[in-house]
Amino acid sequence: MSKLIGNAIVGQSGGPTAAINATLAGVIRGVLENAHGGSIKTLYGMRNGVEGLLKENIVNLSEFFSDMDNISILEQTPAAALGSCRKKLPKIDEGRETYEKLIEIFQKYDIRYFFYIGGNDSMDTVAKLSEYTKECDYEMRVIGVPKTIDNDLVGTDHTPGFASAAKYIATTMTEIIRDCAVYTTKAVTVVEIMGRDAGWLTASAGIPKAFGGEVPDLIYLPERAFNKDEFFADLKVILEVKPNVVVAVSEGIRFADGTYVCEGFGIASTDVFGHKQLSGTAKALEVAIKNEFGCKVRSIELNLPQRCASHIASKTDIEESVLVGKAAVKAASEGVTRQMMTIERVSTNPYKVDVSHRDVSEIANKVKHVSDEFINERGNSVTDECARYLLPLIQGELDVKYENGIPKHVII
Ligand code: F6P
């Protein structure tokens, strides 16, 4: 493979996470620390993913991060420092002008390396762009770098960003369980957790099972149809033996006919990927439980804090995210293209992973669901095996740098 010398560009796409900037930091480190053996001259960043790139909204990251201290602060900064988008590139045959515009920009900035940090929809962009650059004979290495709190990318053991959200969820659920245990009056608390199609995040509420810790009494994932009658029956049994019941539900749970539970309260809208924007599942259940049982009911939507709570990020997650970003730079300089970086689990105990890569077309637009052996038979909790599998991912805490009592962030 001949050496490809030129500039690189990196972008972030899809929903943010507490670790997506750590992956960006990994790419920046990879370039500045010369993991590419002299192939990459300047690293640019696209603002708001391909949406900003098409408007030539570009920032010179080599210049911005010439002070290495800023890179470690970037690793503890939540959200997407370059901004994000939910834009899907058109099918090549239906939107050639979009691709021609992109090539024009690549030529103008001599961009030969393209790193896109995102989830399964963003991998679709990576797949289409690699196809087009090949078709028009523009030599460019296109690499997908995974991220999503949903952990629903196939081909990788887990996805950077998931573990930090999982650590927040497991921790917050433990705290909620503590708080709910104080009164003797009957009460039900329903906690709604993100994850549109896959229940990995909600399953994380069950992680303390791995060490005999307390977990929500009932846990519902989108992998199983939600049955209101069974739910009420289970709730009734638990309320007879304890006054305080805590229930964890995924925002994406649906009834057997495919209707989202939150649809009882109306769904706001659909995003550009055609995904329904979900929320209100816990609220819908709060009303239903109140009507059925007449007891005190509270609903909590973990909402954005579960994906931006960097102060409690998983050290394992942040370290892996940096590693994956760096590895992407190295792989691209060695000739890898049209691939997504992956994390392969070598062993769970002791926990050990390797970083590798796979053909992005095998990954784009697919969803990795929580496996059957991780969900209990009644479909109202997770198994101990699931908890043991997830536990290593949430290990370790960052030495977060604070200023004025608040964690420091980098704003690009
Ligand atoms: O990216 C995944 C995710 O965080 C989902 O868990 C959630 O349903 C969705 O994004 C929310 O998207 P947005 O922030 O665009 O409303």
Side-chain angles (χ1 to χ4, degrees):
M1 181 62 60
S2 63
K3 196 163 168 166
L4 178 63
I5 297 182
N7 298 322
I9 194 156
V10 57
Q12 297 169 309
S13 166
T17 80
I20 186 170
N21 288 330
T23 306
L24 174 64
V27 173
I28 298 169
R29 284 188 190 279
V31 172
L32 298 186
E33 293 167 10
N34 198 22
H36 47 84
S39 300
I40 299 176
K41 293 179 286 177
T42 298
L43 175 67
Y44 294 104
M46 54 188 111
R47 292 200 187 270
N48 303 104
V50 287
E51 197 176 284
L53 178 59
L54 281 161
K55 295 178 194 146
E56 233 181 293
N57 201 349
I58 288 169
V59 54
N60 185 326
L61 294 176
S62 297
E63 245 169 52
F64 189 93
F65 285 100
S66 51
D67 172 3
M68 291 295 254
D69 280 357
N70 268 340
I71 305 183
S72 47
I73 300 298
L74 181 65
E75 287 164 9
Q76 65 169 48
T77 302
L82 287 171
S84 188
C85 69
R86 289 228 186 248
K87 182 178 173 64
K88 212 165 180 169
L89 287 180
K91 285 187 184 145
I92 295 174
D93 282 342
E94 292 169 8
R96 290 201 170 264
E97 56 306 335
T98 301
Y99 292 91
E100 282 156 16
K101 172 84 191 155
L102 286 172
I103 297 290
E104 203 183 296
I105 296 169
F106 295 150
Q107 280 169 334
K108 181 170 170 188
Y109 290 86
D110 189 23
I111 287 164
R112 296 289 168 180
Y113 294 88
F114 184 98
F115 301 101
Y116 212 41
I117 311 171
N120 37 24
D121 289 318
S122 313
M123 292 311 136
D124 178 78
T125 295
V126 173
K128 284 174 176 156
L129 197 58
S130 343
E131 198 182 320
Y132 186 78
T133 50
K134 193 171 168 209
E135 191 187 301
C136 71
D137 215 16
Y138 180 79
E139 199 177 1
M140 187 167 79
R141 313 242 166 101
V142 187
I143 304 270
V145 197
K147 76 81 221 177
T148 166
I149 56 163
D150 289 356
N151 196 36
D152 59 353
L153 281 168
V154 301
T156 182
D157 178 75
H158 56 277
T159 312
F162 163 66
S164 292
K167 187 177 177 89
Y168 175 87
I169 290 162
T171 305
T172 305
M173 287 307 313
T174 306
E175 290 167 347
I176 288 173
I177 292 168
R178 285 277 73 70
D179 187 289
C180 289
V182 301
Y183 299 123
T184 54
T185 39
K186 281 196 191 309
V188 179
T189 304
V190 186
V191 185
E192 177 179 329
I193 297 168
M194 277 184 170
R196 203 183 273 127
D197 302 305
W200 294 103
L201 285 172
T202 309
S204 309
I207 290 177
K209 268 192 178 195
F211 47 86
E214 278 180 293
V215 302
D217 301 285
L218 297 164
I219 301 176
Y220 294 99
L221 314 183
E223 279 76 6
R224 295 286 180 269
F226 184 78
N227 181 315
K228 200 174 89 181
D229 296 334
E230 278 182 22
F231 171 54
F232 283 164
D234 292 345
L235 209 49
K236 188 167 181 284
V237 170
I238 301 169
L239 277 168
E240 271 159 20
V241 293
K242 63 187 281 209
N244 300 291
V245 182
V246 177
V247 183
V249 294
S250 165
E251 63 176 1
I253 52 169
R254 304 174 192 223
F255 297 112
D257 67 359
T259 329
Y260 285 104
V261 170
C262 64
E263 274 178 310
F265 274 70
I267 282 175
S269 56
T270 302
D271 71 17
V272 290
F273 293 137
H275 304 310
K276 283 184 173 171
Q277 290 178 317
L278 308 172
S279 86
T281 305
K283 193 75 194 162
L285 291 175
E286 176 192 319
V287 174
I289 298 164
K290 241 179 218 159
N291 288 341
E292 180 75 12
F293 293 89
C295 64
K296 179 176 174 183
V297 190
R298 184 174 262 135
S299 59
I300 301 170
E301 197 183 324
L302 293 190
N303 216 308
L304 298 190
Q306 67 199 290
R307 69 181 190 196
C308 61
S310 285
H311 63 286
I312 193 177
S314 151
K315 190 170 188 229
T316 302
D317 187 26
I318 300 299
E319 286 177 353
E320 287 180 354
S321 301
V322 175
L323 202 67
V324 162
K326 260 189 180 180
V329 172
K330 184 166 184 292
S333 72
E334 289 167 354
V336 171
T337 185
R338 207 196 165 93
Q339 301 269 307
M340 184 190 84
M341 304 309 294
T342 59
I343 298 175
E344 323 237 321
R345 191 182 295 221
V346 179
S347 72
T348 293
N349 194 10
Y351 177 69
K352 190 174 177 317
V353 294
D354 276 346
V355 175
S356 187
H357 46 79
R358 281 185 190 209
D359 189 335
V360 76
S361 58
E362 291 168 14
I363 294 164
N365 302 313
K366 293 186 181 146
V367 174
K368 183 177 79 177
H369 291 287
V370 176
S371 15
D372 286 346
E373 70 271 22
F374 286 175
I375 306 172
N376 72 348
E377 219 173 300
R378 188 144 170 100
N380 64 9
S381 193
V382 295
T383 60
D384 293 356
E385 192 185 346
C386 176
R388 283 194 296 269
Y389 171 80
L390 295 175
L391 186 65
L393 307 184
I394 66 164
Q395 298 310 302
E397 293 77 40
L398 290 182
D399 181 15
V400 176
K401 306 283 175 303
Y402 282 74
E403 198 169 63
N404 300 316
I406 292 174
K408 277 179 88 171
H409 295 162
V410 165
I411 296 167
I412 302 176

